[in-house]
Amino acid sequence: MPNIGKDDHPKLWSLIFVLIIALTFCCFVMGQGLNSGTSVFLAGQGYGASLAGVLALVFSIAAALARLFVGPVIDNGKCSLVIIAGIAILIAGTALSAVVQGISLFTISRLLQGVGFGAATTAASTAAASVLPQERLGEGIGYHGLGQAIAMSIGPAFALYLVGTDPSTNLYVGLALVGFAGLVIALNARYESKWQTLCQAPAHTESKWKPGSNSTQKTGRHPAPPQ
């Protein structure tokens, strides 16, 4: 009978994994809340629906570009730094909308929000995969995605509630506080050492055929290279 030990069923849940899910939840509550609440807020300020559509496009483009540029930084082992910086930028863009008005300033705030959201969520997804055991990676990513799905349901409802209060800028104040909670979590979630160990190649992939090996010395013939 095979010897079944603890290593055959590695632990899925760890403190760092829970923290990553929590900070990702905060980011998605902010992102989805901003996308849903901004159009209502702008309508209350007398702006048309076309402006809300343009600002949503600005957010999406900024988030997509941020994902492209932070990839190499994450690959260099700066996952924590990208998450912290991303959440900080997201908070700054959200708070800016609460204290200033005007089309140009709304555009800048949505740009910052998109950059922060794209950077933080990309790094958080990488971090989630890096701290999970490879044997249960799919299961762990499923739980991570479940946290995102729940946030995508709560975020819009929370934002619409906030924008309906007086003053309507409570939308940005409330979401900024959510972001601050995510930032506190991110400051306590450091995992680069574990991220590095996951990226190491398995030992059996490192052995390669080399001319002049022991088998060559014993037989006098070169073995065929591995196919």
Side-chain angles (χ1 to χ4, degrees):
M1 293 181 62
N3 184 17
I4 300 177
K6 292 183 179 179
D7 292 337
D8 296 324
H9 193 67
K11 181 180 179 181
L12 175 66
W13 293 98
S14 61
L15 176 59
I16 186 64
F17 183 49
V18 173
L19 292 177
I20 292 171
I21 291 178
L23 67 88
T24 304
F25 176 85
C26 293
C27 290
F28 270 85
V29 167
M30 289 190 71
Q32 297 301 315
L34 290 168
N35 287 337
S36 300
T38 298
S39 58
V40 179
F41 178 83
L42 292 175
Q45 300 297 314
Y47 296 101
S50 59
L51 177 60
V54 171
L55 293 179
L57 179 62
V58 170
F59 178 91
S60 300
I61 293 176
L65 292 177
R67 295 180 190 278
L68 295 177
F69 284 102
V70 301
V73 181
I74 295 172
D75 289 338
N76 288 330
K78 302 297 183 181
C79 228
S80 291
L81 178 62
V82 173
I83 291 177
I84 293 171
I87 297 178
I89 294 173
L90 181 57
I91 295 173
T94 304
L96 181 63
S97 299
V99 297
V100 297
Q101 304 293 320
I103 295 178
S104 60
L105 293 175
F106 273 127
T107 304
I108 294 174
S109 67
R110 289 297 277 166
L111 179 66
L112 292 174
Q113 292 164 12
V115 170
F117 178 80
T121 54
T122 300
S125 297
T126 304
S130 71
V131 300
L132 290 168
Q134 297 187 46
E135 296 84 355
R136 304 183 67 182
L137 182 61
E139 181 184 359
I141 293 298
Y143 285 114
H144 184 258
L146 178 62
Q148 298 178 17
I150 295 174
M152 292 170 67
S153 300
I154 295 177
F158 181 55
L160 293 177
Y161 167 77
L162 291 174
V163 78
T165 60
D166 187 23
S168 57
T169 51
N170 288 337
L171 166 69
Y172 300 109
V173 175
L175 292 177
L177 291 175
V178 173
F180 181 76
L183 182 60
V184 172
I185 296 172
L187 290 171
N188 291 278
R190 300 302 181 93
Y191 40 81
E192 264 74 13
S193 58
K194 294 183 180 180
W195 178 82
Q196 294 291 344
T197 59
L198 179 69
C199 297
Q200 293 177 356
H204 66 273
T205 63
E206 297 179 355
S207 60
K208 296 181 179 180
W209 170 82
K210 295 181 180 179
S213 59
N214 292 336
S215 59
T216 302
Q217 297 173 357
K218 292 180 180 179
T219 62
R221 294 181 298 175
H222 292 284
Q227 301 295 326

